[in-house]
Amino acid sequence: MKVKFAHQLRAIAALSVVFYHYWGIFFSPAVRAIIGVPASFVPVKPGYTQLVMSPGQGGLLYGVFGVGVFFLISGFVIPISLRNISTGAFLVRRFFRIYPVYWFCLLISLSMYFICSWYWHTPLSDRISLKYLLETLPLLHSVTGIPSLDFVCWSLAVEVKFYVIFALVLLVGGRSAHKVLALSIGFLILCCLAAFLAAHGSNPASMLSLLTSDMKFMTFMFLGCLFYYVLYDELSVPAALGYGAIIYVLFLMITSSYEGSIGGPLARNYTYALVLFSVCYVLRERFRDNRVLDFVADISFPLYLLHSTIGYVVMSILIDQGVWFTLAWVISLGLVLLVAFGVHRYVEVPVNAFGKKVSNLAGRSPKPVQRDTLSLEGSP
């Protein structure tokens, strides 16, 4: 079956996040201070960047929207990745798909901190310490409230939790779509209650609050699973709509515990992502090869991990050297695409192939599948 629509949506999601960071977050003094840019450096902000951070009531927040699309794609892909292999083999493959590339990109991000500190003659960030690195390497730092070194891997931490939770659901409920979804909804209901208690507790920064905060993102990954079950005829459309309505309501309830209202920015932009994904799913047979989108989709994982630290450092240096902002972000984007391609070709592809070999020790080898399916087995 063709799943090209989801593969190309990955490119759109990645570019949405990139532009959100380059045209918006880059101008935040707090972010520049973290990487080592002095407070005296204040770049001129072009008018067109206002559409990214201040889009008006109900407007599109590119980065939030893009991550919402990523979570839907991940939810759609994970059951595909589990076809014909054991749960153990699945977890082994997920490890090799996520961690080696993440660790390698983390080294590149670290080098950008050193370059920025050297250029601006500023102290290294407090994040450059052995203790901090050891806490972030397992991608479990979000439960203790530690921010990401690269500003984006918090979403990988969410995905890792989802892999474990979904694997446990499969172990308890088997491969039946109805059992999996019933158990998932039961789990999300408990999360909804926990989110309410955490939001109204005396310590909003508690581990319970941080854990349940991730659940608002996981609901969208469970929504993505519904599209898989319908696509592979494991669930009828009416049944999927019923389950989807319940999960979406739980998403709104969990999100409202943290945003203070049902229609907050995250809820709105994730809904936009759901609408786009749904439309593309319905029109999936009309998607054709697109060299640009397919290329960006192929390198989207390292692109996602590297664009922020490389972009923030390179743009600040270029602008300080007299380069116009628009040209600075174009040059930075080109550099990031080049580096991401190198990481994809020489790190991501080899370790994924190695992970498949190792996973065969944990479960039966998968049957041959079409390239369209394989192209989706990545992470953001």
Side-chain angles (χ1 to χ4, degrees):
M1 286 191 179
K2 298 291 185 180
V3 287
K4 190 175 293 295
F5 83 96
H7 185 57
Q8 292 182 357
L9 274 180
R10 189 186 298 282
I12 295 174
L15 292 175
S16 296
V17 174
V18 170
F19 288 129
Y20 180 74
H21 287 158
Y22 284 10
W23 294 0
I25 302 299
F26 169 71
F27 292 99
S28 169
V31 169
R32 296 199 304 275
I34 290 173
I35 63 174
V37 178
S40 58
F41 175 78
V42 182
V44 177
K45 190 174 184 179
Y48 63 81
T49 62
Q50 298 296 331
L51 297 175
V52 177
M53 297 298 291
S54 303
Q57 183 64 31
L60 182 68
L61 289 172
Y62 294 11
V64 182
F65 164 81
V67 174
V69 174
F70 270 136
F71 285 141
L72 286 167
I73 295 172
S74 293
F76 177 69
V77 168
I78 294 311
I80 294 177
S81 302
L82 274 160
R83 290 177 68 86
N84 307 314
I85 64 173
S86 68
T87 303
F90 160 76
L91 291 175
V92 170
R93 290 192 181 190
R94 288 294 105 186
F95 174 86
F96 281 99
R97 286 198 174 277
I98 296 293
Y99 284 98
V101 177
Y102 163 63
W103 290 333
F104 188 84
C105 290
L106 201 61
L107 291 176
I108 297 177
S109 294
L110 279 173
S111 69
M112 298 313 297
Y113 276 85
F114 281 99
I115 290 173
C116 195
S117 176
W118 167 79
Y119 178 84
W120 293 100
H121 305 289
T122 54
L124 280 171
S125 169
D126 293 338
R127 300 186 183 191
I128 309 302
S129 67
L130 181 60
K131 179 177 181 297
Y132 191 97
L133 291 177
L134 292 176
E135 290 174 331
T136 56
L137 286 178
L139 284 174
L140 300 176
H141 53 285
S142 62
V143 299
T144 56
I146 298 175
S148 303
L149 179 73
D150 55 10
F151 303 98
V152 294
C153 72
W154 65 268
S155 62
L156 293 187
V158 174
E159 292 218 10
V160 169
K161 296 185 189 75
F162 177 77
Y163 299 156
V164 175
I165 291 170
F166 195 76
L168 291 175
V169 168
L170 289 180
L171 287 175
V172 174
R175 300 286 174 127
S176 167
H178 288 285
K179 289 182 179 179
V180 168
L181 290 168
L183 288 170
S184 300
I185 288 174
F187 169 74
L188 291 174
I189 289 174
L190 292 177
C191 291
C192 186
L193 294 174
F196 177 83
L197 293 174
H200 293 80
S202 58
N203 184 10
S206 65
M207 183 174 293
L208 174 63
S209 179
L210 294 169
L211 277 172
T212 53
S213 176
D214 283 349
M215 296 307 128
K216 61 180 178 284
F217 308 119
M218 287 192 201
T219 52
F220 257 58
M221 301 178 81
F222 283 113
L223 284 175
C225 293
L226 292 174
F227 291 91
Y228 158 82
Y229 287 126
V230 174
L231 183 65
Y232 283 88
D233 297 321
E234 297 183 27
L235 204 64
S236 67
V237 173
L241 290 174
Y243 284 123
I246 295 173
I247 295 174
Y248 181 75
V249 169
L250 290 170
F251 159 72
L252 292 178
M253 293 176 67
I254 295 174
T255 303
S256 66
S257 296
Y258 292 90
E259 291 198 314
S261 66
I262 289 194
L266 187 141
R268 288 199 309 269
N269 284 273
Y270 273 39
T271 301
Y272 301 154
L274 179 59
V275 170
L276 175 65
F277 192 90
S278 301
V279 171
C280 291
Y281 173 84
V282 171
L283 301 176
R284 62 189 179 277
E285 298 299 332
R286 299 189 180 186
F287 279 74
R288 299 292 182 267
D289 290 341
N290 184 295
R291 294 182 64 179
V292 174
L293 289 179
D294 290 337
F295 170 75
V296 175
D298 287 340
I299 67 170
S300 60
F301 187 24
L303 172 63
Y304 180 79
L305 290 174
L306 293 171
H307 76 275
S308 58
T309 49
I310 292 180
Y312 296 158
V313 172
V314 173
M315 282 195 295
S316 63
I317 292 175
L318 288 176
I319 294 172
D320 185 61
Q321 292 296 317
V323 177
W324 184 37
F325 167 76
T326 300
L327 181 58
W329 74 254
V330 170
I331 294 173
S332 298
L333 178 58
L335 176 62
V336 170
L337 289 172
L338 181 63
V339 176
F341 172 74
V343 174
H344 167 71
R345 182 170 182 176
Y346 297 108
V347 180
E348 185 178 17
V349 172
V351 297
N352 285 344
F354 180 73
K356 286 185 179 181
K357 294 180 181 179
V358 174
S359 71
N360 290 337
L361 301 175
R364 184 164 60 90
S365 299
K367 299 176 181 178
V369 292
Q370 299 178 19
R371 183 185 183 280
D372 291 304
T373 299
L374 288 175
S375 68
L376 280 173
E377 289 187 350
S379 198

